[in-house]
Amino acid sequence: GGFGPLAALAGRAWLMTARRRLQMASLAQSRCVSQQRAALCALCNASEDDAFVKLRTGIWSRGCQLKVRIAQDMQTLIEGYEQHYAVPPLPLDPDVWFAWLDRHDTFKTMCIRCAVQKGLDRPPPEAGNLDGSAGGPRAPLALTGASGARPDLSDSEEDEDDDEEDDEEEASDADEVAAPNSKRKGVAKEFPAMVQSQVSIASREMLVFWALQARKRLRERRRQLRELARLEAEDEDEGDDDGEALEAAAREEVAASEARAQQQSSSP
């Protein structure tokens, strides 16, 4: 019985190829670990000093997480090396293999955002479910409505009251504008339904960053307006007090002059 000498040779060749490729992948991984990490992401130039990273929100909840990673497809690199250097029949040379990896820019320092986008890593648990299902393919994020608002974009109760007042004013203005149109056409137009837009993680983080910056500027502007109103009220109170003091002094002066006049008239 048996499969014959040809089948045995084919099986032995397949086993040698599998072992060699596993060795090449292991050498590439060890070379990746020995690489020096850069201070910036090679793809997006993100670093620990960036403002959106320091916010520690979303995918940046644990920082930039810069790490040297294998940026190229390992199977493609191995097959290209074997064809270029005729391996086999020639044996594997680790130094030539390392040079091949360096020539194809295999190792790059990446941040966690770029690594997640390329499928080389998973987002931190604090960032939420950014990749769809637990084991499914990673999908871009969608901009949600008010029910899906981010907790880090919430405001204080005082600012929420101000926001409600602004919304009421905008709503009244919108009603005033819509009223003539409704009279002309008979029926007012309905606002179009919310569109679910698919955006990438990078775009989402940029939107979150600028939204936080806009909220901070809005809070500071409102604080300045409240402070200005308080100072104006204090100035008015001080002006009223000064007026009352001047009036009282004038009355005292008139009374004193009248008393002197009476004394002069009563004297011989």
Side-chain angles (χ1 to χ4, degrees), residues 206-223:
M206 186 180 299
L207 290 174
V208 170
F209 172 73
W210 286 114
L212 289 173
Q213 295 299 317
R215 180 58 58 88
K216 289 179 181 179
R217 295 189 182 97
L218 184 59
R219 288 178 180 175
E220 180 63 21
R221 176 60 177 170
R222 289 173 177 171
R223 186 194 65 79

Side-chain angles (χ1 to χ4, degrees), residues 10 29 36 49 53-54 78 90 113 152 166 168-169 185 197 200 219 230 245 256 266 268:
Q29 187 62 37
Q36 185 177 2
D49 297 330
V53 177
K54 292 181 178 180
I78 291 175
L90 297 179
R113 180 180 63 187
D152 52 0
D166 296 340
E168 292 177 357
E169 294 177 358
K185 298 181 179 179
S197 302
S200 63
R219 288 178 180 175
R230 184 184 64 82
S266 60

Side-chain angles (χ1 to χ4, degrees), residues 154-256:
S154 62
D155 207 346
S156 62
E157 294 181 358
E158 183 177 358
D159 291 333
E160 287 178 357
D161 296 338
D162 296 338
D163 293 340
E164 291 177 358
E165 294 177 359
D166 296 340
D167 294 340
E168 292 177 357
E169 294 177 358
E170 292 176 359
S172 62
D173 295 339
D175 294 339
E176 294 177 358
V177 174
N181 296 333
S182 61
K183 292 179 180 178
R184 288 195 303 268
K185 298 181 179 179
V187 179
K189 289 186 177 180
E190 296 183 355
F191 192 80
M194 180 65 70
V195 178
Q196 297 293 332
S197 302
Q198 299 292 330
V199 298
S200 63
I201 296 177
S203 300
R204 176 179 179 272
E205 293 301 329
M206 186 180 299
L207 290 174
V208 170
F209 172 73
W210 286 114
L212 289 173
Q213 295 299 317
R215 180 58 58 88
K216 289 179 181 179
R217 295 189 182 97
L218 184 59
R219 288 178 180 175
E220 180 63 21
R221 176 60 177 170
R222 289 173 177 171
R223 186 194 65 79
Q224 293 176 357
L225 292 176
R226 289 193 293 266
E227 183 67 17
L228 180 60
R230 184 184 64 82
L231 293 176
E232 291 178 352
E234 291 179 355
D235 292 340
E236 291 178 358
D237 294 339
E238 291 178 358
D240 295 339
D241 295 339
D242 293 340
E244 292 177 358
L246 291 174
E247 185 178 356
R251 286 198 299 266
E252 292 177 357
E253 183 67 24
V254 171

Side-chain angles (χ1 to χ4, degrees), residues 72-81 97 100-101 104 106:
Q72 306 296 337
D73 181 65
M74 185 54 58
Q75 186 66 26
T76 303
L77 290 171
I78 291 175
E79 293 177 355
Y81 171 84
W97 170 235
W100 179 265
L101 295 176
H104 290 81
T106 305

Side-chain angles (χ1 to χ4, degrees), residues 100-115:
W100 179 265
L101 295 176
D102 295 339
R103 183 190 307 173
H104 290 81
D105 200 14
T106 305
F107 310 107
K108 292 182 179 180
T109 299
M110 295 187 191
C111 63
I112 183 63
R113 180 180 63 187
C114 295

Side-chain angles (χ1 to χ4, degrees), residues 133-148:
S133 60
R138 295 171 176 80
L141 299 176
L143 289 176
T144 58
S147 60

Side-chain angles (χ1 to χ4, degrees), residues 40-47 50 52 60 64 109-111 113-114:
L40 300 175
C41 176
L43 302 183
C44 67
N45 292 328
S47 69
D50 289 330
F52 55 85
W60 309 111
C64 199
T109 299
M110 295 187 191
C111 63
R113 180 180 63 187
C114 295

